[in-house]
């Protein structure tokens, strides 16, 4: 089943590197700024958007900057752990990170994972066949998961916990064939 994707629009690159955010394009065919999402994360600074073009990316990403990570089509931008990599996307102690419009599958841990953050947003995400949780926020507050799908996790498809007050929302999502739904 094809899931609805959020339509992404290209942004103009910044002309003043200090004044405005820029867009870093990842394309496996070499038509972007880099072929690797991990390399784009190294290039990025707070406020940037990393736009990922279609492809299957065998990467485990760690985000430590306030950025937006956006796929162009959630059904065609696939992070695949090959049942060897731990997490698809892990956001560590950086606030305001948005991850949207992509799929994470076959990770030994989690598909999408925020930990120790304030202000997070995961939208138009698909997580399936991961070893722990699908879409997961731990010790994180003021967040939202929406328009997303999680399936095939031995624990919960969606998890928000170890936060007080969590001040979080889960909206317009589907969680099925997991150990727990939410």
């Amino acid at each position: 089943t094809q899931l609805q994707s959020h339509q992404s629009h290209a942004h103009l690159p910044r002309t003043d590197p200090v004044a405005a955010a820029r867009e870093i394009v990842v394309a496996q065919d070499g038509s972007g700024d880099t072929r690797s999402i991990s390399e784009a994360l190294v290039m990025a600074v707070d406020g940037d958007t990393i736009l990922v073009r279609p492809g299957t990316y065998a990467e485990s990403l760690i985000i430590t900057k306030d950025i937006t990570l956006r796929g162009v089509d959630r059904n065609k931008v696939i992070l695949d752990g090959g049942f060897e990599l731990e997490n698809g996307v892990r956001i560590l102690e950086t606030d305001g990170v948005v991850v949207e419009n992509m799929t994470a599958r076959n990770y030994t841990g989690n598909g999408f994972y925020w930990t120790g953050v304030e202000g997070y947003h995961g939208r138009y995400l698909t997580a399936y066949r991961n070893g722990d949780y699908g879409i997961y926020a731990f010790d994180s507050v003021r967040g939202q998961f929406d328009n997303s799908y999680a399936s095939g996790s031995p624990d919960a498809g969606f998890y928000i916990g170890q936060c007080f007050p969590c001040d979080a929302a889960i909206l317009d999502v589907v969680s099925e064939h997991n150990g727990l739904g939410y």
Side-chain angles (χ1 to χ4, degrees):
T1 301
Q2 292 290 314
L3 298 170
Q4 177 187 3
S5 284
H6 175 71
Q7 294 301 312
S8 176
H9 301 286
H11 297 90
L12 296 174
R14 65 179 164 190
T15 55
D16 176 354
V18 175
R22 65 185 167 153
E23 183 175 82
I24 301 168
V25 178
V26 179
Q28 290 179 327
D29 66 4
S31 64
D33 299 306
T34 179
R35 294 175 188 259
S36 157
I37 303 169
S38 296
E39 187 175 313
L41 287 169
V42 170
M43 297 165 54
V45 298
D46 286 346
D48 284 352
T49 295
I50 297 174
L51 181 67
V52 184
R53 292 195 178 146
T56 300
Y57 296 84
E59 300 184 57
S60 183
L61 308 172
I62 297 177
I63 298 176
T64 59
K65 300 171 186 171
D66 179 10
I67 63 158
T68 296
L69 177 62
R70 176 181 298 138
V72 296
D73 184 323
R74 81 190 282 176
N75 299 305
K76 295 179 181 176
V77 175
I78 312 290
L79 302 173
D80 193 323
F83 300 108
E84 294 178 3
L85 300 175
E86 186 177 7
N87 297 298
V89 179
R90 184 173 182 191
I91 298 92
L92 294 172
E93 299 179 3
T94 188
D95 301 335
V97 173
V98 176
V99 180
E100 61 187 4
N101 226 26
M102 60 183 55
T103 294
R105 68 182 185 200
N106 306 331
Y107 286 90
T108 61
N110 311 291
F112 301 95
Y113 178 27
W114 284 258
T115 183
V117 303
E118 181 174 335
Y120 59 92
H121 199 162
R123 60 183 168 216
Y124 296 96
L125 300 174
T126 299
Y128 67 92
R129 257 192 338 251
N130 294 298
D132 204 3
Y133 298 101
I135 302 173
Y136 178 29
F138 176 85
D139 188 30
S140 298
V141 297
R142 292 189 253 314
Q144 181 171 312
F145 296 142
D146 63 75
N147 298 289
S148 295
Y149 175 81
S151 178
S153 294
D155 210 307
F158 290 86
Y159 180 94
I160 295 174
Q162 280 68 33
C163 46
F164 184 78
C166 294
D167 193 20
I170 299 175
L171 307 166
D172 297 319
V173 302
V174 174
S175 183
E176 60 186 1
H177 310 296
N178 301 291
L180 299 168
Y182 306 92

